[in-house]
Amino acid sequence: SQKIEQNSEALNIQEGKTATLTCNYTNYSPAYLQWYRQDPGRGPVFLLLIRENEKEKRKERLKVTFDTTLKQSLFHITASQPADSATYLCAAWMDSSYKLIFGSGTRLLVRP
Amino acid sequence: NAGVTQTPKFQVLKTGQSMTLQCAQDMNHEYMSWYRQDPGMGLRLIHYSVGAGITDQGEVPNGYNVSRSTTEDFPLRLLSAAPSQTSVYFCASSPRPPGPLNEKLFFGSGTQLSVL
């Protein structure tokens, strides 16, 4: 079956470093991947989208890459800040359906 | 605009009870959906709707009913609650259904449901 996998272990980094989160997909080729941020007790909020024909997309301190050979997307936050601490979710559109399927998310902790 | 509004925020039910989780959006979005979020399993799609009068099943529809009589509202009904339905439920909407035009979802703040 189609799956999206994210590292379930929390990522703990020092303020100022670059955080890198991984999203892997199996058994299909999504037309695009979306990344969302979720804070405790809140719903996810959309951050970025990258299409299969785009290698990289940037927005301020955020960068997303899409490697169709490795079946993987990487999400980078440069110059990380404690305010970036949250859970980050990856989502993919299932081609020819009306469904957006999510990974389980990776929790990021940025230490001051 | 209030965006996507979910009520209640918290609910405790006994096994076998029924209840309806409410979801309303004021953005005139065609597409609405319900997800449940459980630790380690991420967001799983329960049901979705591409417009008033049209609903369909997601990944985990069993035990849940939905209807879409208006564009604004998309209630989720639990007919006979079970402990396995203990979860956080999120309603989400977008202007059009997910597809090649890359619609992003707008989420409500969630309903935390416990079934004892």
Side-chain angles (χ1 to χ4, degrees), chain B residues 13-16 36 80-87 89 113-116:
Chain B
L13 292 178
K14 294 182 180 176
T15 297
R36 59 178 288 175
S80 179
S84 61
Q85 294 178 305
T86 294
S87 187
Y89 291 84
L113 176 67
S114 294
V115 183
L116 306 176

Side-chain angles (χ1 to χ4, degrees), chain B residues 37-54:
Chain B
Q37 188 172 39
D38 303 291
M41 302 195 73
L43 287 162
R44 291 184 291 168
L45 183 63
I46 305 171
H47 284 287
Y48 63 93
S49 169
V50 298
I54 306 169

Side-chain angles (χ1 to χ4, degrees), chain A residues 32 34 36 38 51 98 100, chain B residues 31 35 37 99-100 102-103:
Chain A
Y32 57 77
Q34 298 181 348
Y36 289 76
Q38 186 176 22
R51 295 185 171 279
Y98 294 131
L100 202 59
Chain B
Y31 181 84
Y35 287 85
Q37 188 172 39
N102 68 58
E103 295 295 345

